[in-house]
Amino acid sequence: QVQLVESGGGLVQAGGSLRLSCAASGRALSTNAMGWFRQAPGKEREFVGAVGWSGGNTYYADSVKGRFTISRDIAENTMYLQMNSLRPEDTAVYYCAAGTYYRSGYNPPYVPRYWGQGTQVTVSS
């Protein structure tokens, strides 16, 4: 069983930056990566990116490549999402997840199994 707790959301102006954290307790043997998703009002939940438990491999959705960076602090068992050059369309509830990244056969390539409670990010224009 894995428990995930996000923090760091808030209100920021367009062009600004924000860093989200996801603290994990435990690690489910059936998972190989932690990930981020987001859900804007009236839209489906969208894959943002993922990082392997070892922190060595990262994967991003095209919509955030070059602006968002995912990292892991293994000692703290925490994942981070550094968001730069934020846009109003990045406004959403951001969810942390623990699950499995697949090199092929899945779109998006990450299947979550455990979820955090979510944290709101609002980008004003």
Side-chain angles (χ1 to χ4, degrees):
Q1 187 75 15
V2 177
Q3 293 186 337
L4 305 168
V5 179
E6 302 100 331
S7 61
L11 174 64
V12 64
Q13 288 188 334
S17 299
L18 209 57
R19 189 176 82 155
L20 306 182
S21 301
C22 173
S25 62
R27 173 186 171 179
L29 296 178
S30 58
T31 64
N32 66 8
M34 296 181 72
W36 289 100
F37 287 75
R38 66 185 181 185
Q39 188 166 20
K43 294 188 177 181
E44 294 187 354
R45 195 167 293 190
E46 172 190 22
F47 172 68
V48 173
V51 60
W53 280 105
S54 66
N57 296 308
T58 53
Y59 319 92
Y60 299 95
D62 289 343
S63 58
V64 304
K65 276 181 183 176
R67 300 188 300 123
F68 290 10
T69 303
I70 297 174
S71 60
R72 277 266 294 155
D73 183 327
I74 296 174
E76 297 294 326
N77 206 10
T78 299
M79 174 177 64
Y80 301 97
L81 178 65
Q82 177 66 44
M83 304 183 291
N84 299 328
S85 301
L86 283 163
R87 305 165 181 169
E89 54 263 39
D90 294 317
T91 295
V93 177
Y94 283 71
Y95 295 91
C96 169
T100 303
Y101 182 85
Y102 295 91
R103 293 183 181 273
S104 63
Y106 288 84
N107 185 22
Y110 182 80
V111 178
R113 183 169 180 180
Y114 303 94
W115 291 100
Q117 82 285 357
T119 185
Q120 176 71 46
V121 171
T122 302
V123 184
S124 62
S125 57

